[in-house]
Amino acid sequence: MAGKDRSPVTVIGLGLMGQALASAFVGAGHPTTVWNRTADKAAGLVSQGATVAASPEDAVAAADLVVVCVSDNDVLHTVLDPVTDTLKGRVVANLTSGSSDQARENAAWADERGFSYLDAAIMTVPAGVGAADSVVFYAGPKDAYDKHSATLALLGGGSTHLGEDHALAALYDVALLGVMWGTLNSFLQGAALLSKADVKAAEFLPWATKWVDAVKLFATDYAGQIDAGDGAYPANDATMEVHFGALQHLVHESEAQGVNAELPHFVKSLMERTIAKGFAQNSYASMIELFRTPEK
Ligand code: NAP
């Protein structure tokens, strides 16, 4: 049911994610216009109250806020390049995954054509769209974000504007995915190791998650040390030397128990290189020195 006080929204791209986005707007009472290359994907949304546009141009003309969620950046340009005259003065929020370079190029493309561009990264799956703790990152002009922040917040209660630099959404996206894979890989390696002593992954799980809480405390101290920028990295909890000794136990146990030891060996090589740079008596945060530069 469209509400009189709700601003119109257009959604271009009705794949799995685009349908979830459009559904969140329709469900909150926004007059919602949708367009998709394959028109029949709009059927469910139409039954909820959305309007199907006959063309991308008609879709863009229907709202000040144009949300785009297609496969990739090339598709975005295939659909929007022919309609940039109609986009003039509007706000495009691009929820298509892309790189930070593409975000900055798209910002320049929009600027030259007289419309506002917000680059976005959705940190959830379609079923999570609209949940109170789901996050969508936005980067780009703050005034454009502020104008539509209440509408955009419908896509995830934890959504936020990261800053005016259009690169930020894509960069936060991959940085967080890295945290996810790093944590999951270590959990899986630990589960493999413990399986050799007949410990189920479900038995390991509560201890692993409790340990992640401890790691949060370490990371809080390390963030301050990194941002201090003085290269001091005080070993408030343990020195690199102590970390290295413990890591060698993980390498040894992995090999002795006959599980894959590639990950522990990789971490060992990173620690060795950091210690060789002179950080044996510093905190684990000194590893940032290695991560800041391309590998040799
Ligand atoms: P999807 O289901 O494969 O949908 C792709 C969309 O792109 C469809 O609307 C498709 O139209 C359209 N498209 C593809 N090629 C096109 C072309 N040449 N011209 C016009 N439209 C074209 O993908 P999705 O899961 O919705 O993902 C969409 C974006 O969201 C991706 O960038 C993805 O990385 C990102 N994302 C997805 C998730 C997720 O969990 N699904 C999470 C975070 C981010 P047709 O229907 O006509 O094929």
Side-chain angles (χ1 to χ4, degrees), residues 12-19 21 35-41 68-76 78-79 94-98 121-127 173:
I12 290 182
L14 300 176
L16 291 173
M17 188 52 92
Q19 289 185 43
L21 302 175
W35 181 85
N36 194 55
R37 177 182 63 174
T38 309
D40 60 13
K41 285 193 189 167
V68 185
C69 188
V70 289
S71 304
D72 59 32
N73 198 54
D74 287 345
V75 172
L76 173 132
T78 300
V79 177
N94 179 22
L95 279 76
T96 306
S97 300
I122 319 172
M123 307 308 293
T124 188
V125 293
D173 184 1

Side-chain angles (χ1 to χ4, degrees), residues 241-266:
E241 204 167 60
V242 167
H243 276 282
F244 187 66
L247 190 271
Q248 291 193 85
H249 294 310
L250 177 59
V251 172
H252 165 77
E253 287 294 359
S254 300
E255 289 175 347
Q257 303 300 324
V259 300
N260 189 304
E262 283 173 273
L263 185 59
H265 270 294
F266 172 61

